[in-house]
Amino acid sequence: GIQVEQSPPDLILQEGANSTLRCNFSDSVNNLQWFHQNPWGQLINLFYIPSGTKQNGRLSATTVATERYSLLYISSSQTTDSGVYFCAVATSGTYKYIFGTGTRLKVLA
Amino acid sequence: GAVVSQHPSWVICKSGTSVKIECRSLDFQATTMFWYRQFPKQSLMLMATSNEGSKATYEQGVEKDKFLINHASLTLSTLTVTSAHPEDSSFYICSAPTSGRVTDTQYFGPGTRLTVL
């Protein structure tokens, strides 16, 4: 089945710093979403981005489907950005999401 | 965005008992819902696809007799963990796409934390 790898696995930032999180996948995908899992476990939708570029405030994402990767950019990080970031992908003709390995982010005040 | 709820938020039970977890789509109808399991500090693993009016389909390695899924209406899917054991302790999360298109955003419930003593 499809493999979804995220890097880096762990990241510690000082408040105000920028970061780039990467999601690599091993096969063609129809769907790709980025999520932030907060300390209580809730998955927050960040982007639905099977291709192209989107921006929402301090966050932006780019997916290059032909090269099988997606990037999540966090600018001017805040302590509330701490948590785990997951990408999830679904292959052709299915809703079934396969989650990536996750990036655990900690932003220090 | 669309809202998916789960009940209960957390549950503690004794080994050998059964526990039922509900997943509801509050403002849309969902013919398909998904159940995931997440162990501490790990990623989410898809367990099964819940189909309204028909049998669920389970991922490889998931015991269908242990994790009973019922999708009785367009807004409700239930996951029953039967004869629970401590190794079933986990965070269970459901999700649903908001339309019949495969290219659509999925929304996730807040999760249910199960602890089996």
Side-chain angles (χ1 to χ4, degrees):
Chain A
I2 189 170
Q3 304 296 315
V4 187
E5 297 286 334
Q6 291 183 241
S7 61
D10 296 280
L11 186 59
I12 299 175
L13 298 174
Q14 206 64 38
E15 199 169 29
N18 302 328
S19 62
T20 301
L21 282 56
R22 187 177 180 103
C23 171
N24 290 335
F25 39 96
S26 61
D27 203 349
S28 300
V29 300
N30 270 1
N31 295 340
L32 188 148
Q33 282 184 244
W34 281 96
F35 299 93
H36 174 212
Q37 188 170 38
N38 66 23
W40 297 272
Q42 172 76 61
L43 284 169
I44 312 297
N45 283 309
L46 297 178
F47 294 102
Y48 171 76
I49 188 164
S51 64
T53 297
K54 290 186 179 179
Q55 180 157 6
N56 184 4
R58 296 182 297 105
L59 302 182
S60 64
T62 295
T63 297
V64 185
T66 53
E67 297 188 21
R68 299 180 183 173
Y69 74 88
S70 183
L71 302 174
L72 177 69
Y73 306 96
I74 304 174
S75 64
S76 304
S77 58
Q78 301 175 357
T79 56
T80 52
D81 294 332
S82 297
V84 184
Y85 289 80
F86 289 106
C87 66
V89 303
T91 54
S92 177
T94 176
Y95 290 118
K96 290 166 54 171
Y97 270 9
I98 304 302
F99 275 74
T101 48
T103 292
R104 191 171 299 273
L105 173 65
K106 188 175 180 68
V107 181
L108 304 176
Chain B
V3 179
V4 176
S5 71
Q6 283 185 240
H7 178 79
S9 300
W10 56 270
V11 57
I12 301 173
C13 69
K14 292 183 178 180
S15 187
T17 60
S18 294
V19 174
K20 180 185 285 189
I21 302 170
E22 293 184 349
C23 175
R24 292 183 187 273
S25 55
L26 297 186
D27 51 0
F28 65 99
Q29 294 183 330
T31 56
T32 303
M33 293 182 173
F34 299 91
W35 287 95
Y36 295 82
R37 179 168 54 181
Q38 184 181 30
F39 292 109
K41 298 192 184 302
Q42 293 188 25
S43 187
L44 282 76
M45 297 295 295
L46 179 65
M47 298 175 66
T49 303
S50 174
N51 303 298
E52 189 267 336
S54 65
K55 290 184 179 181
T57 54
Y58 292 81
E59 296 302 301
Q60 192 171 12
V62 177
E63 298 175 61
K64 58 183 177 183
D65 294 331
K66 180 165 192 61
F67 299 101
L68 300 180
I69 292 173
N70 186 2
H71 196 146
S73 78
L74 287 172
T75 58
L76 174 64
S77 174
T78 59
L79 169 68
T80 301
V81 183
T82 62
S83 187
H85 291 284
E87 57 266 30
D88 299 322
S89 298
S90 188
F91 192 53
Y92 293 88
I93 307 175
C94 68
S95 75
T98 52
S99 78
R101 301 189 307 270
V102 293
T103 52
D104 197 8
T105 303
Q106 282 202 44
Y107 289 86
F108 284 74
T112 297
R113 199 166 300 279
L114 170 64
T115 302
V116 184
L117 302 177

